[in-house]
Amino acid sequence: MKRWLILLLVGCLVLGSVASAAVQKGDTEIDALGAWMKQNAKGDAEDIDVFFLSAGIGYFVTDNIQIQGAAVGAWTEVAGVDTDIWAIGARAKYHFMPTNQWVPYIGGQLMWANFDAEGEDGDGVLWGPLVGLRYELNAYNDFFVEYQYHMWDGDIRDYVKDGHGVFVGIVHQFK
């Protein structure tokens, strides 16, 4: 009985340990995320499958608030035409419980976007809310899952109306 109690207590200490701070003011980090997702097509057209990658560099201005510069690449086929989309812009995130190993957050993004559809090109804006959850792997690396709702404006809206995406990624922090 005593052995099981000791093993249980040791296990609780290992699983219940909380890092000094998963995120905190002054941290700079690089993240990368990716997904295979589905975008809603305009009108009666068939929905679009998209391969999506993004990378960003962020800075915590407070223990909770992060600002981030980000770039996006998406590759898809719209109505039988190969379409490449590139975007660059900013994200802002508010992190709840920044001292925990599990850190939920909400935020938004605003990016200038450009597309190339086999010779036809244009630009527009990608914007929308996001929500995510980070899990601290160690003092310098976190795993995260993020949901983004994409809204498009400008010439891109002729090809893609809106969309939902669930992404997985990794964060590396410079403390």
Side-chain angles (χ1 to χ4, degrees):
M1 175 81 174
K2 289 181 184 180
R3 287 185 196 170
W4 284 106
L5 182 58
I6 291 172
L7 285 175
L8 179 63
L9 289 174
V10 169
C12 288
L13 287 173
V14 169
L15 294 175
S17 65
V18 176
S20 60
V23 296
Q24 57 189 356
K25 181 179 178 178
D27 283 355
T28 301
E29 61 184 30
I30 295 175
D31 71 26
L33 62 88
W36 183 263
M37 63 186 223
K38 189 169 283 290
Q39 292 279 135
N40 297 329
K42 189 164 179 148
D44 295 330
E46 186 176 323
D47 288 347
I48 305 161
D49 291 322
V50 181
F51 178 62
F52 185 99
L53 292 174
S54 178
I57 184 164
Y59 179 77
F60 281 88
V61 294
T62 72
D63 283 349
N64 300 93
I65 299 172
Q66 179 191 37
I67 55 172
Q68 184 181 57
V72 168
W75 300 268
T76 186
E77 186 175 308
V78 180
V81 177
D82 287 333
T83 304
D84 300 333
I85 300 171
W86 302 93
I88 189 165
R91 292 185 182 121
K93 299 176 184 176
Y94 181 86
H95 294 75
F96 300 94
M97 304 180 307
T99 60
N100 290 350
Q101 193 167 14
W102 293 88
V103 181
Y105 61 88
I106 60 171
Q109 62 185 349
L110 178 63
M111 299 186 182
W112 172 82
N114 184 291
F115 76 94
D116 179 15
E118 291 186 2
E120 186 175 338
D121 62 349
D123 60 3
V125 175
L126 164 61
W127 62 287
L130 55 92
V131 61
L133 179 66
R134 295 169 65 131
Y135 175 74
E136 184 177 27
L137 299 171
N138 58 43
Y140 297 100
N141 298 299
D142 292 0
F143 171 79
F144 70 98
V145 176
E146 185 172 282
Y147 164 80
Q148 296 181 3
Y149 183 70
H150 292 167
M151 293 178 271
W152 302 90
D153 285 319
D155 297 336
I156 289 180
R157 193 158 178 83
D158 293 340
Y159 288 87
V160 182
K161 184 178 175 186
D162 59 12
H164 305 270
V166 177
F167 305 93
V168 294
I170 190 93
V171 174
H172 179 73
Q173 298 174 340
F174 302 95
K175 295 188 177 225

